Amino acid sequence: MKYRVEKCFKILGFTKDDKIKRHHYLGDGSSYVVPEKDDESAAIALSALINALYETNMVAIVRKVYSAASGPKLGCLIPHIKTEYECLIYVELPFREDIRQFTFGSLPITEDSKANVKNAPSADQLKAVDDLITDMDLSQTGDDEEDKVEALKPKFVFNPHFQRLYQCLQHRALNPDDQLPELSPLIANYLKPPQEIITKCEPEVEKIQKLFKLEEVKRKEDRTGRSYLKMGWDEAEGGPVKKQKLDDDLEGGMEDITKAEVTEVSCHGNTDQLIMLTVVWRMPLSNT
């Protein structure tokens, strides 16, 4: 039976903003909640709610049903205030059944533990990695100390997926019979780190390559049933020759047994006892 719901957007309650963890955010994005245009009463009421949430560091927990054909969603409204506008940002939240708690083994944190003693980095290695992190800092880029700005700031970086889509749509609209163009160099730059950062990090990367030497570890070949069967191949087949086991009681080995003649076969015992079969062989004399 299908669960029937009515379209709604209802506030269920309020909670502190630090109770909403960043890893609990769901959905493909967020939505802005603003008052209807030219509705002064709605603008005043929404502004009062936004400022109250902002001043008390609270968020609103809401129940959202987009349409009667869709299921209910749980979300939160986060106050967002700027000089030009103010609004509420809606972000979808998980239900209790959607949260998975995974338990992992603790890492060795004591200095005298076996793992730490074996894999402890040296002072030079720690300094090299620390310098690399400092040089890769995107928050302060630029040649002049006064003109340093944040690189790759999300507000000024466009999504390369959408930019490529718009490039193809524009080209197809203006040139319907031509093939799609190559990727624009401007869009390709979005997928690369800033050249300034790459140049700045080159000395530290070379230092790390010298301090952290990598050695190839060859894995031992696992023995399988197929590998054991190969042990019986002769040298012509490319495998090792399996040594034949000789009987110590037979001077000539299996070769003389095949040349012997059976002269007598007799049976001893009865049905209640173990039946013993005696075979008398006549062995040819050796020429030696």
Side-chain angles (χ1 to χ4, degrees), residues 102-120:
F102 297 100
T103 303
F104 300 96
S106 60
L107 297 174
I109 57 177
T110 57
E111 296 183 358
D112 56 347
S113 63
K114 184 177 180 180
N116 280 350
V117 172
K118 180 180 178 181
N119 303 316

Side-chain angles (χ1 to χ4, degrees), residues 70-87:
S70 61
K73 301 291 184 180
L74 186 67
C76 66
L77 295 177
I78 304 173
H80 185 69
I81 299 178
K82 292 292 183 180
T83 55
E84 298 85 3
Y85 66 94
E86 55 186 16
C87 65

Side-chain angles (χ1 to χ4, degrees), residues 174-232:
L174 300 177
N175 307 281
D177 299 330
D178 296 345
Q179 294 183 353
L180 294 178
E182 297 292 336
L183 182 65
S184 172
L186 182 62
I187 302 176
N189 290 334
Y190 294 154
L191 306 175
K192 301 177 183 178
Q195 185 61 37
E196 177 188 352
I197 299 295
I198 297 177
T199 305
K200 191 176 181 180
C201 294
E202 285 181 354
E204 302 302 331
V205 172
E206 294 178 357
K207 186 185 298 183
I208 288 178
Q209 290 178 346
K210 295 178 181 179
L211 293 175
F212 294 88
K213 296 182 179 180
L214 300 180
E215 298 179 359
E216 183 179 359
V217 179
K218 295 184 179 180
R219 183 179 179 182
K220 294 183 179 180
E221 183 180 357
D222 296 334
R223 284 293 183 89
T224 60
R226 185 180 181 86
S227 62
Y228 282 108
L229 291 175
K230 291 181 180 179
M231 298 295 293

